[in-house]
Amino acid sequence: MTRVAVTGGSGKLGRAVVAELLAHGYDVVVLDRQRAPQHDPRAAFLSIDLTDYGQVAEALTAVDDRYSSIDAVAHLAAIPAPGILTNSATFANNVPSSYNVFAAAQAAGIDNIVWASSETVLGLPFLQSPPPSFPVDEEYTVRPQSTYSLGKALEEEMARHFTRWNPSLKLIGLRFSNVMEPADYAAFPAFADDPASRAWNAWGYIDARDGAQAVRLALESTLTGFEAFIIASADTVLEAPSAELAARFFPDVPFTRDVYGTETLLSIDKAKRMLWYSPRHSWRDEVAGTPGANETPRAGGVTTP
């Protein structure tokens, strides 16, 4: 049984990742400041300050009476968005924590690391900085627009060099869209009243359970080196056709391929191709009266202009 350390395992995405890993037979150690009220007792818990390299180095090697080694790391801990703390406080927490995890894992001989990057490196908010094309993909240079996003971009650059130094290392950055749980979906129908309010990320989201699936698949991948993947749900947060929304709010952004119905404008093609990622959950499944999210594209559907 592989032992995975999950930093930030008490958070929204972290709890889903812990549940996913436990369900697939992994031994899990949660590394976080506080234990979640819903903490699964099958997972060990260790309170830690990730900005302290010494604590991280110890946690990724052995802790008396708890465990003797760690095989892989899912690094999810961070101030999760801009505007929660001051810019400098956000940077001072997130970037050093990620460096500490990357460096301590390498020192401990751990060569399997997956961590939470962010959709924000794609240039969010898009209304201020439109993407070069739709669907948005991983093929253009990151363009952070906030201190939070700058930190994520720097983490990706660090990952490139850590893997350059150690060719056997795997560092996969998952650019998660806006993480949602089923309890959040009751608010989704109201987004139709103001579509512009969700244009900042092209109406994207990720169900925490599918985000957890992506983490597990990335951990299980045989890839080496650095890779970044957009991780989003298969659909948008609205019932309006995606191509029509893009034409309305981003009339100058071209399409590189057809987009059908409510298909996401945040391309998950690379994650599907290289990680075998396949979203299983949609807000439409949780809210009565909405059509299915994952209809097969068919003739007569709404496509790109």
Side-chain angles (χ1 to χ4, degrees), residues 229-293:
F229 297 91
I230 295 171
I231 302 297
S233 291
D235 58 339
T236 69
V237 301
L238 294 178
E239 293 188 51
S242 301
E244 292 182 6
L245 289 167
R248 175 181 172 187
F249 291 94
F250 302 97
D252 297 325
V253 177
F255 279 78
T256 57
R257 64 168 175 81
D258 286 346
V259 172
Y260 294 86
T262 59
E263 180 184 348
T264 180
L265 292 170
L266 303 176
S267 175
I268 54 177
D269 293 345
K270 180 181 178 183
K272 287 182 175 180
R273 183 178 70 253
M274 296 180 67
L275 298 179
W276 296 93
Y277 169 65
S278 179
R280 300 168 184 166
H281 303 281
S282 168
W283 71 273
R284 300 163 209 278
D285 300 328
E286 308 288 341
V287 178
T290 56

Short mmCIF file of all heavy atoms in Angstrom, two decimals, residues 229-293:
data_model
loop_
_atom_site.label_atom_id
_atom_site.label_comp_id
_atom_site.label_asym_id
_atom_site.label_seq_id
_atom_site.Cartn_x
_atom_site.Cartn_y
_atom_site.Cartn_z
N PHE A 229 -1.64 20.67 -16.26
CA PHE A 229 -2.92 20.27 -16.84
C PHE A 229 -4.04 21.16 -16.32
O PHE A 229 -4.12 21.40 -15.11
CB PHE A 229 -3.26 18.82 -16.47
CG PHE A 229 -2.30 17.80 -17.00
CD1 PHE A 229 -1.21 17.39 -16.24
CD2 PHE A 229 -2.49 17.24 -18.26
CE1 PHE A 229 -0.33 16.45 -16.72
CE2 PHE A 229 -1.61 16.27 -18.74
CZ PHE A 229 -0.52 15.88 -17.98
N ILE A 230 -4.89 21.63 -17.22
CA ILE A 230 -6.14 22.28 -16.79
C ILE A 230 -7.09 21.19 -16.33
O ILE A 230 -7.30 20.19 -17.03
CB ILE A 230 -6.76 23.07 -17.95
CG1 ILE A 230 -5.85 24.23 -18.35
CG2 ILE A 230 -8.14 23.59 -17.57
CD1 ILE A 230 -6.27 24.93 -19.64
N ILE A 231 -7.67 21.39 -15.15
CA ILE A 231 -8.63 20.44 -14.61
C ILE A 231 -9.94 21.17 -14.35
O ILE A 231 -10.04 22.02 -13.46
CB ILE A 231 -8.12 19.79 -13.31
CG1 ILE A 231 -6.77 19.09 -13.55
CG2 ILE A 231 -9.15 18.81 -12.76
CD1 ILE A 231 -6.82 17.93 -14.54
N ALA A 232 -10.94 20.85 -15.16
CA ALA A 232 -12.25 21.48 -15.05
C ALA A 232 -13.32 20.43 -15.27
O ALA A 232 -13.04 19.30 -15.72
CB ALA A 232 -12.40 22.60 -16.09
N SER A 233 -14.55 20.79 -14.95
CA SER A 233 -15.67 19.91 -15.26
C SER A 233 -15.94 19.94 -16.76
O SER A 233 -15.44 20.82 -17.48
CB SER A 233 -16.91 20.35 -14.47
OG SER A 233 -16.73 20.10 -13.10
N ALA A 234 -16.74 19.00 -17.23
CA ALA A 234 -16.98 18.89 -18.67
C ALA A 234 -17.91 19.96 -19.20
O ALA A 234 -17.96 20.20 -20.41
CB ALA A 234 -17.55 17.51 -18.98
N ASP A 235 -18.63 20.64 -18.30
CA ASP A 235 -19.61 21.64 -18.71
C ASP A 235 -19.31 22.97 -18.04
O ASP A 235 -18.39 23.09 -17.23
CB ASP A 235 -21.02 21.17 -18.37
CG ASP A 235 -21.20 20.89 -16.88
OD1 ASP A 235 -20.19 20.65 -16.18
OD2 ASP A 235 -22.35 20.89 -16.40
N THR A 236 -20.12 23.98 -18.35
CA THR A 236 -19.99 25.29 -17.71
C THR A 236 -21.03 25.41 -16.60
O THR A 236 -21.84 24.51 -16.38
CB THR A 236 -20.22 26.43 -18.72
OG1 THR A 236 -21.61 26.43 -19.11
CG2 THR A 236 -19.34 26.27 -19.94
N VAL A 237 -21.03 26.56 -15.94
CA VAL A 237 -21.97 26.80 -14.84
C VAL A 237 -23.32 27.30 -15.34
O VAL A 237 -24.23 27.53 -14.54
CB VAL A 237 -21.40 27.81 -13.82
CG1 VAL A 237 -20.09 27.31 -13.24
CG2 VAL A 237 -21.23 29.19 -14.45
N LEU A 238 -23.48 27.48 -16.67
CA LEU A 238 -24.71 28.04 -17.23
C LEU A 238 -25.38 27.04 -18.17
O LEU A 238 -24.76 26.11 -18.68
CB LEU A 238 -24.41 29.33 -17.99
CG LEU A 238 -23.92 30.52 -17.18
CD1 LEU A 238 -23.63 31.71 -18.09
CD2 LEU A 238 -24.93 30.91 -16.12
N GLU A 239 -26.67 27.30 -18.44
CA GLU A 239 -27.40 26.49 -19.40
C GLU A 239 -27.30 27.06 -20.81
O GLU A 239 -27.62 26.37 -21.78
CB GLU A 239 -28.87 26.37 -18.98
CG GLU A 239 -29.07 25.57 -17.71
CD GLU A 239 -30.55 25.31 -17.43
OE1 GLU A 239 -31.24 24.84 -18.36
OE2 GLU A 239 -30.99 25.60 -16.31
N ALA A 240 -26.86 28.29 -20.95
CA ALA A 240 -26.69 28.89 -22.27
C ALA A 240 -25.55 28.19 -23.01
O ALA A 240 -24.56 27.78 -22.40
CB ALA A 240 -26.40 30.38 -22.13
N PRO A 241 -25.66 28.04 -24.33
CA PRO A 241 -24.59 27.40 -25.09
C PRO A 241 -23.27 28.15 -24.94
O PRO A 241 -23.22 29.39 -24.98
CB PRO A 241 -25.10 27.47 -26.54
CG PRO A 241 -26.58 27.53 -26.41
CD PRO A 241 -26.84 28.35 -25.17
N SER A 242 -22.21 27.41 -24.79
CA SER A 242 -20.90 28.00 -24.53
C SER A 242 -20.43 28.90 -25.67
O SER A 242 -19.85 29.97 -25.45
CB SER A 242 -19.87 26.90 -24.28
OG SER A 242 -20.25 26.10 -23.18
N ALA A 243 -20.66 28.47 -26.90
CA ALA A 243 -20.23 29.26 -28.05
C ALA A 243 -20.95 30.61 -28.09
O ALA A 243 -20.36 31.63 -28.45
CB ALA A 243 -20.46 28.50 -29.34
N GLU A 244 -22.22 30.61 -27.72
CA GLU A 244 -22.98 31.87 -27.71
C GLU A 244 -22.47 32.80 -26.62
O GLU A 244 -22.36 34.03 -26.82
CB GLU A 244 -24.46 31.59 -27.51
CG GLU A 244 -25.10 30.89 -28.70
CD GLU A 244 -26.60 30.66 -28.51
OE1 GLU A 244 -27.16 31.15 -27.49
OE2 GLU A 244 -27.20 29.99 -29.36
N LEU A 245 -22.14 32.25 -25.45
CA LEU A 245 -21.58 33.07 -24.37
C LEU A 245 -20.25 33.69 -24.79
O LEU A 245 -20.00 34.88 -24.57
CB LEU A 245 -21.38 32.22 -23.12
CG LEU A 245 -22.64 31.78 -22.38
CD1 LEU A 245 -22.30 30.71 -21.35
CD2 LEU A 245 -23.29 32.98 -21.68
N ALA A 246 -19.41 32.88 -25.41
CA ALA A 246 -18.11 33.39 -25.84
C ALA A 246 -18.27 34.48 -26.89
O ALA A 246 -17.56 35.51 -26.85
CB ALA A 246 -17.26 32.25 -26.39
N ALA A 247 -19.18 34.29 -27.84
CA ALA A 247 -19.40 35.30 -28.88
C ALA A 247 -19.92 36.60 -28.29
O ALA A 247 -19.59 37.69 -28.78
CB ALA A 247 -20.37 34.75 -29.93
N ARG A 248 -20.69 36.50 -27.24
CA ARG A 248 -21.27 37.70 -26.61
C ARG A 248 -20.24 38.46 -25.80
O ARG A 248 -20.15 39.69 -25.91
CB ARG A 248 -22.44 37.29 -25.73
CG ARG A 248 -23.06 38.44 -24.93
CD ARG A 248 -24.20 37.94 -24.06
NE ARG A 248 -24.67 38.98 -23.15
CZ ARG A 248 -25.58 38.77 -22.20
NH1 ARG A 248 -26.12 37.57 -22.05
NH2 ARG A 248 -25.95 39.76 -21.41
N PHE A 249 -19.47 37.76 -25.00
CA PHE A 249 -18.57 38.43 -24.06
C PHE A 249 -17.12 38.52 -24.56
O PHE A 249 -16.36 39.37 -24.08
CB PHE A 249 -18.59 37.71 -22.71
CG PHE A 249 -19.88 37.87 -21.97
CD1 PHE A 249 -20.89 36.93 -22.07
CD2 PHE A 249 -20.10 38.99 -21.18
CE1 PHE A 249 -22.10 37.09 -21.39
CE2 PHE A 249 -21.30 39.17 -20.50
CZ PHE A 249 -22.30 38.22 -20.60
N PHE A 250 -16.75 37.67 -25.51
CA PHE A 250 -15.38 37.68 -26.03
C PHE A 250 -15.43 37.62 -27.57
O PHE A 250 -14.93 36.67 -28.18
CB PHE A 250 -14.58 36.49 -25.48
CG PHE A 250 -14.51 36.44 -23.97
CD1 PHE A 250 -15.38 35.65 -23.22
CD2 PHE A 250 -13.55 37.20 -23.29
CE1 PHE A 250 -15.32 35.61 -21.84
CE2 PHE A 250 -13.48 37.16 -21.90
CZ PHE A 250 -14.36 36.37 -21.17
N PRO A 251 -16.02 38.62 -28.20
CA PRO A 251 -16.25 38.55 -29.65
C PRO A 251 -14.97 38.48 -30.48
O PRO A 251 -15.01 38.03 -31.63
CB PRO A 251 -17.03 39.83 -29.95
CG PRO A 251 -16.67 40.76 -28.83
CD PRO A 251 -16.51 39.88 -27.62
N ASP A 252 -13.84 38.90 -29.93
CA ASP A 252 -12.60 38.93 -30.70
C ASP A 252 -11.72 37.71 -30.46
O ASP A 252 -10.62 37.62 -31.02
CB ASP A 252 -11.80 40.19 -30.35
CG ASP A 252 -12.55 41.46 -30.73
OD1 ASP A 252 -13.24 41.45 -31.76
OD2 ASP A 252 -12.44 42.46 -29.98
N VAL A 253 -12.16 36.79 -29.62
CA VAL A 253 -11.36 35.60 -29.32
C VAL A 253 -11.77 34.48 -30.28
O VAL A 253 -12.93 34.06 -30.28
CB VAL A 253 -11.54 35.14 -27.86
CG1 VAL A 253 -10.76 33.85 -27.60
CG2 VAL A 253 -11.08 36.24 -26.90
N PRO A 254 -10.84 33.97 -31.08
CA PRO A 254 -11.18 32.91 -32.05
C PRO A 254 -11.32 31.55 -31.39
O PRO A 254 -10.85 31.34 -30.26
CB PRO A 254 -10.00 32.93 -33.01
CG PRO A 254 -8.84 33.37 -32.15
CD PRO A 254 -9.42 34.38 -31.18
N PHE A 255 -11.93 30.62 -32.10
CA PHE A 255 -12.03 29.24 -31.66
C PHE A 255 -11.07 28.37 -32.47
O PHE A 255 -10.90 28.58 -33.67
CB PHE A 255 -13.45 28.71 -31.84
CG PHE A 255 -14.39 29.10 -30.74
CD1 PHE A 255 -14.92 30.38 -30.70
CD2 PHE A 255 -14.74 28.20 -29.74
CE1 PHE A 255 -15.79 30.76 -29.68
CE2 PHE A 255 -15.60 28.57 -28.72
CZ PHE A 255 -16.13 29.84 -28.69
N THR A 256 -10.47 27.41 -31.82
CA THR A 256 -9.57 26.48 -32.51
C THR A 256 -10.29 25.19 -32.92
O THR A 256 -9.74 24.40 -33.69
CB THR A 256 -8.37 26.12 -31.63
OG1 THR A 256 -8.84 25.57 -30.39
CG2 THR A 256 -7.53 27.37 -31.35
N ARG A 257 -11.48 24.98 -32.39
CA ARG A 257 -12.29 23.82 -32.77
C ARG A 257 -13.73 24.09 -32.37
O ARG A 257 -14.02 25.04 -31.65
CB ARG A 257 -11.78 22.54 -32.10
CG ARG A 257 -11.88 22.52 -30.58
CD ARG A 257 -11.64 21.12 -30.04
NE ARG A 257 -11.60 21.04 -28.59
CZ ARG A 257 -12.68 21.00 -27.81
NH1 ARG A 257 -13.90 21.06 -28.34
NH2 ARG A 257 -12.55 20.90 -26.48
N ASP A 258 -14.64 23.26 -32.83
CA ASP A 258 -16.04 23.40 -32.46
C ASP A 258 -16.23 23.10 -30.98
O ASP A 258 -15.54 22.26 -30.40
CB ASP A 258 -16.91 22.45 -33.28
CG ASP A 258 -17.09 22.90 -34.72
OD1 ASP A 258 -16.77 24.07 -35.01
OD2 ASP A 258 -17.54 22.08 -35.54
N VAL A 259 -17.20 23.79 -30.39
CA VAL A 259 -17.61 23.55 -29.01
C VAL A 259 -19.11 23.29 -29.02
O VAL A 259 -19.87 24.06 -29.61
CB VAL A 259 -17.28 24.77 -28.12
CG1 VAL A 259 -17.88 24.60 -26.73
CG2 VAL A 259 -15.77 24.95 -28.00
N TYR A 260 -19.53 22.23 -28.39
CA TYR A 260 -20.91 21.78 -28.46
C TYR A 260 -21.67 22.07 -27.18
O TYR A 260 -21.18 21.79 -26.08
CB TYR A 260 -20.97 20.28 -28.76
CG TYR A 260 -20.46 19.91 -30.12
CD1 TYR A 260 -19.09 19.69 -30.32
CD2 TYR A 260 -21.31 19.81 -31.21
CE1 TYR A 260 -18.61 19.35 -31.58
CE2 TYR A 260 -20.84 19.47 -32.47
CZ TYR A 260 -19.48 19.25 -32.65
OH TYR A 260 -19.00 18.93 -33.89
N GLY A 261 -22.87 22.60 -27.31
CA GLY A 261 -23.76 22.78 -26.17
C GLY A 261 -23.11 23.55 -25.05
O GLY A 261 -22.55 24.63 -25.24
N THR A 262 -23.18 22.99 -23.86
CA THR A 262 -22.62 23.64 -22.67
C THR A 262 -21.23 23.12 -22.34
O THR A 262 -20.78 23.18 -21.19
CB THR A 262 -23.56 23.43 -21.47
OG1 THR A 262 -23.72 22.02 -21.24
CG2 THR A 262 -24.91 24.07 -21.70
N GLU A 263 -20.51 22.63 -23.34
CA GLU A 263 -19.15 22.12 -23.13
C GLU A 263 -18.25 23.19 -22.52
O GLU A 263 -18.34 24.38 -22.84
CB GLU A 263 -18.56 21.68 -24.47
CG GLU A 263 -17.15 21.13 -24.39
CD GLU A 263 -16.59 20.80 -25.76
OE1 GLU A 263 -17.35 20.79 -26.75
OE2 GLU A 263 -15.37 20.55 -25.84
N THR A 264 -17.37 22.77 -21.63
CA THR A 264 -16.44 23.69 -21.00
C THR A 264 -15.59 24.43 -22.03
O THR A 264 -15.21 23.87 -23.07
CB THR A 264 -15.52 22.97 -20.00
OG1 THR A 264 -14.63 23.92 -19.41
CG2 THR A 264 -14.70 21.87 -20.68
N LEU A 265 -15.28 25.69 -21.73
CA LEU A 265 -14.36 26.47 -22.55
C LEU A 265 -12.94 26.41 -22.01
O LEU A 265 -12.04 27.05 -22.56
CB LEU A 265 -14.84 27.92 -22.62
CG LEU A 265 -16.15 28.13 -23.39
CD1 LEU A 265 -16.67 29.54 -23.21
CD2 LEU A 265 -15.95 27.82 -24.88
N LEU A 266 -12.74 25.66 -20.93
CA LEU A 266 -11.41 25.40 -20.37
C LEU A 266 -11.03 23.99 -20.81
O LEU A 266 -11.52 23.00 -20.27
CB LEU A 266 -11.42 25.50 -18.84
CG LEU A 266 -11.90 26.83 -18.26
CD1 LEU A 266 -11.96 26.75 -16.73
CD2 LEU A 266 -10.98 27.98 -18.69
N SER A 267 -10.17 23.89 -21.79
CA SER A 267 -9.91 22.60 -22.41
C SER A 267 -9.32 21.59 -21.42
O SER A 267 -8.31 21.85 -20.77
CB SER A 267 -8.93 22.76 -23.58
OG SER A 267 -8.58 21.48 -24.10
N ILE A 268 -9.97 20.43 -21.35
CA ILE A 268 -9.44 19.32 -20.55
C ILE A 268 -8.93 18.21 -21.45
O ILE A 268 -8.71 17.08 -21.01
CB ILE A 268 -10.51 18.79 -19.57
CG1 ILE A 268 -11.81 18.42 -20.31
CG2 ILE A 268 -10.78 19.82 -18.48
CD1 ILE A 268 -12.87 17.81 -19.39
N ASP A 269 -8.69 18.56 -22.72
CA ASP A 269 -8.25 17.55 -23.68
C ASP A 269 -6.90 16.93 -23.29
O ASP A 269 -6.70 15.72 -23.43
CB ASP A 269 -8.15 18.16 -25.08
CG ASP A 269 -9.51 18.56 -25.64
OD1 ASP A 269 -10.54 18.12 -25.09
OD2 ASP A 269 -9.54 19.33 -26.63
N LYS A 270 -5.96 17.76 -22.86
CA LYS A 270 -4.65 17.23 -22.48
C LYS A 270 -4.76 16.28 -21.30
O LYS A 270 -4.13 15.22 -21.28
CB LYS A 270 -3.69 18.38 -22.15
CG LYS A 270 -2.29 17.92 -21.77
CD LYS A 270 -1.37 19.10 -21.43
CE LYS A 270 0.00 18.61 -20.99
NZ LYS A 270 0.90 19.74 -20.60
N ALA A 271 -5.57 16.65 -20.29
CA ALA A 271 -5.75 15.78 -19.13
C ALA A 271 -6.43 14.48 -19.52
O ALA A 271 -6.10 13.41 -19.00
CB ALA A 271 -6.55 16.50 -18.05
N LYS A 272 -7.36 14.55 -20.45
CA LYS A 272 -8.01 13.32 -20.93
C LYS A 272 -7.01 12.43 -21.64
O LYS A 272 -6.99 11.21 -21.45
CB LYS A 272 -9.16 13.67 -21.88
CG LYS A 272 -10.40 14.25 -21.22
CD LYS A 272 -11.47 14.52 -22.27
CE LYS A 272 -12.76 14.98 -21.66
NZ LYS A 272 -13.80 15.23 -22.69
N ARG A 273 -6.17 13.04 -22.45
CA ARG A 273 -5.23 12.29 -23.29
C ARG A 273 -4.08 11.68 -22.49
O ARG A 273 -3.70 10.53 -22.71
CB ARG A 273 -4.68 13.22 -24.37
CG ARG A 273 -3.75 12.55 -25.37
CD ARG A 273 -3.30 13.52 -26.44
NE ARG A 273 -2.39 14.55 -25.95
CZ ARG A 273 -2.71 15.83 -25.76
NH1 ARG A 273 -3.95 16.25 -26.00
NH2 ARG A 273 -1.80 16.69 -25.32
N MET A 274 -3.54 12.44 -21.55
CA MET A 274 -2.32 12.01 -20.87
C MET A 274 -2.55 11.42 -19.49
O MET A 274 -1.71 10.66 -18.99
CB MET A 274 -1.35 13.19 -20.77
CG MET A 274 -0.87 13.69 -22.12
SD MET A 274 0.29 15.09 -22.02
CE MET A 274 1.71 14.32 -21.23
N LEU A 275 -3.68 11.78 -18.85
CA LEU A 275 -3.98 11.24 -17.52
C LEU A 275 -5.18 10.31 -17.51
O LEU A 275 -5.49 9.72 -16.48
CB LEU A 275 -4.24 12.40 -16.53
CG LEU A 275 -3.10 13.38 -16.28
CD1 LEU A 275 -3.56 14.47 -15.29
CD2 LEU A 275 -1.86 12.67 -15.74
N TRP A 276 -5.87 10.20 -18.63
CA TRP A 276 -7.11 9.44 -18.70
C TRP A 276 -8.18 10.05 -17.79
O TRP A 276 -9.03 9.34 -17.24
CB TRP A 276 -6.89 7.96 -18.37
CG TRP A 276 -6.00 7.28 -19.37
CD1 TRP A 276 -4.65 7.13 -19.28
CD2 TRP A 276 -6.38 6.71 -20.62
NE1 TRP A 276 -4.15 6.48 -20.40
CE2 TRP A 276 -5.20 6.21 -21.23
CE3 TRP A 276 -7.59 6.56 -21.28
CZ2 TRP A 276 -5.21 5.57 -22.47
CZ3 TRP A 276 -7.60 5.93 -22.51
CH2 TRP A 276 -6.43 5.44 -23.08
N TYR A 277 -8.12 11.35 -17.62
CA TYR A 277 -9.10 12.06 -16.80
C TYR A 277 -10.44 12.10 -17.51
O TYR A 277 -10.53 12.40 -18.70
CB TYR A 277 -8.59 13.48 -16.55
CG TYR A 277 -9.59 14.41 -15.93
CD1 TYR A 277 -10.08 14.21 -14.64
CD2 TYR A 277 -10.04 15.54 -16.62
CE1 TYR A 277 -11.00 15.08 -14.07
CE2 TYR A 277 -10.94 16.43 -16.06
CZ TYR A 277 -11.42 16.19 -14.79
OH TYR A 277 -12.32 17.07 -14.22
N SER A 278 -11.50 11.78 -16.77
CA SER A 278 -12.86 11.79 -17.33
C SER A 278 -13.83 12.26 -16.26
O SER A 278 -14.17 11.51 -15.33
CB SER A 278 -13.25 10.38 -17.80
OG SER A 278 -14.56 10.37 -18.32
N PRO A 279 -14.28 13.52 -16.34
CA PRO A 279 -15.19 14.04 -15.30
C PRO A 279 -16.46 13.22 -15.20
O PRO A 279 -17.06 12.84 -16.21
CB PRO A 279 -15.49 15.47 -15.80
CG PRO A 279 -14.38 15.81 -16.73
CD PRO A 279 -13.97 14.52 -17.37
N ARG A 280 -16.86 12.96 -13.97
CA ARG A 280 -18.04 12.13 -13.73
C ARG A 280 -19.20 12.90 -13.11
O ARG A 280 -20.31 12.38 -12.99
CB ARG A 280 -17.66 10.98 -12.78
CG ARG A 280 -16.57 10.08 -13.31
CD ARG A 280 -16.05 9.16 -12.23
NE ARG A 280 -14.93 8.34 -12.71
CZ ARG A 280 -14.12 7.66 -11.93
NH1 ARG A 280 -14.28 7.70 -10.61
NH2 ARG A 280 -13.13 6.94 -12.45
N HIS A 281 -18.96 14.13 -12.69
CA HIS A 281 -19.96 14.87 -11.93
C HIS A 281 -20.27 16.21 -12.59
O HIS A 281 -19.40 16.84 -13.18
CB HIS A 281 -19.48 15.11 -10.50
CG HIS A 281 -19.15 13.85 -9.76
ND1 HIS A 281 -20.11 13.04 -9.20
CD2 HIS A 281 -17.95 13.24 -9.52
CE1 HIS A 281 -19.53 12.00 -8.63
NE2 HIS A 281 -18.23 12.10 -8.81
N SER A 282 -21.52 16.62 -12.48
CA SER A 282 -21.96 17.91 -13.00
C SER A 282 -22.96 18.52 -12.03
O SER A 282 -23.75 17.80 -11.39
CB SER A 282 -22.63 17.73 -14.37
OG SER A 282 -23.31 18.92 -14.75
N TRP A 283 -22.97 19.84 -11.98
CA TRP A 283 -23.97 20.51 -11.15
C TRP A 283 -25.37 20.18 -11.61
O TRP A 283 -26.32 20.17 -10.81
CB TRP A 283 -23.73 22.02 -11.16
CG TRP A 283 -24.07 22.72 -12.45
CD1 TRP A 283 -23.26 22.90 -13.53
CD2 TRP A 283 -25.31 23.37 -12.78
NE1 TRP A 283 -23.89 23.61 -14.51
CE2 TRP A 283 -25.14 23.92 -14.07
CE3 TRP A 283 -26.51 23.55 -12.12
CZ2 TRP A 283 -26.17 24.62 -14.73
CZ3 TRP A 283 -27.53 24.25 -12.76
CH2 TRP A 283 -27.36 24.78 -14.04
N ARG A 284 -25.52 19.85 -12.90
CA ARG A 284 -26.85 19.54 -13.44
C ARG A 284 -27.44 18.27 -12.85
O ARG A 284 -28.65 18.09 -12.81
CB ARG A 284 -26.75 19.43 -14.97
CG ARG A 284 -26.26 20.70 -15.61
CD ARG A 284 -25.76 20.48 -17.04
NE ARG A 284 -24.74 21.45 -17.36
CZ ARG A 284 -24.97 22.71 -17.75
NH1 ARG A 284 -26.22 23.12 -17.90
NH2 ARG A 284 -23.98 23.53 -17.99
N ASP A 285 -26.57 17.38 -12.39
CA ASP A 285 -27.03 16.16 -11.76
C ASP A 285 -27.55 16.40 -10.35
O ASP A 285 -28.23 15.54 -9.77
CB ASP A 285 -25.89 15.13 -11.69
CG ASP A 285 -25.35 14.78 -13.06
OD1 ASP A 285 -26.15 14.79 -14.02
OD2 ASP A 285 -24.14 14.51 -13.18
N GLU A 286 -27.20 17.56 -9.78
CA GLU A 286 -27.56 17.87 -8.40
C GLU A 286 -28.72 18.83 -8.27
O GLU A 286 -29.29 18.98 -7.19
CB GLU A 286 -26.35 18.47 -7.67
CG GLU A 286 -25.06 17.66 -7.75
CD GLU A 286 -25.10 16.40 -6.91
OE1 GLU A 286 -25.96 16.32 -5.99
OE2 GLU A 286 -24.27 15.50 -7.15
N VAL A 287 -29.07 19.50 -9.38
CA VAL A 287 -30.13 20.51 -9.35
C VAL A 287 -31.27 20.06 -10.23
O VAL A 287 -31.09 19.80 -11.42
CB VAL A 287 -29.59 21.88 -9.83
CG1 VAL A 287 -30.71 22.92 -9.84
CG2 VAL A 287 -28.45 22.34 -8.95
N ALA A 288 -32.45 19.95 -9.65
CA ALA A 288 -33.62 19.48 -10.39
C ALA A 288 -33.96 20.42 -11.53
O ALA A 288 -33.83 21.64 -11.43
CB ALA A 288 -34.82 19.34 -9.44
N GLY A 289 -34.39 19.84 -12.65
CA GLY A 289 -34.90 20.64 -13.75
C GLY A 289 -33.86 21.12 -14.74
O GLY A 289 -34.17 21.92 -15.63
N THR A 290 -32.61 20.64 -14.62
CA THR A 290 -31.58 21.04 -15.58
C THR A 290 -31.24 19.87 -16.47
O THR A 290 -31.26 18.72 -16.04
CB THR A 290 -30.31 21.53 -14.86
OG1 THR A 290 -29.84 20.51 -13.99
CG2 THR A 290 -30.59 22.78 -14.06
N PRO A 291 -30.91 20.13 -17.75
CA PRO A 291 -30.57 19.03 -18.67
C PRO A 291 -29.24 18.41 -18.34
O PRO A 291 -28.42 18.99 -17.63
CB PRO A 291 -30.54 19.73 -20.04
CG PRO A 291 -30.21 21.15 -19.72
CD PRO A 291 -30.88 21.44 -18.39
N GLY A 292 -28.99 17.22 -18.86
CA GLY A 292 -27.73 16.53 -18.61
C GLY A 292 -26.55 17.30 -19.14
O GLY A 292 -26.64 18.01 -20.15
N ALA A 293 -25.40 17.12 -18.48
CA ALA A 293 -24.22 17.92 -18.83
C ALA A 293 -23.36 17.29 -19.90
O ALA A 293 -22.68 17.99 -20.64
CB ALA A 293 -23.38 18.14 -17.58
#
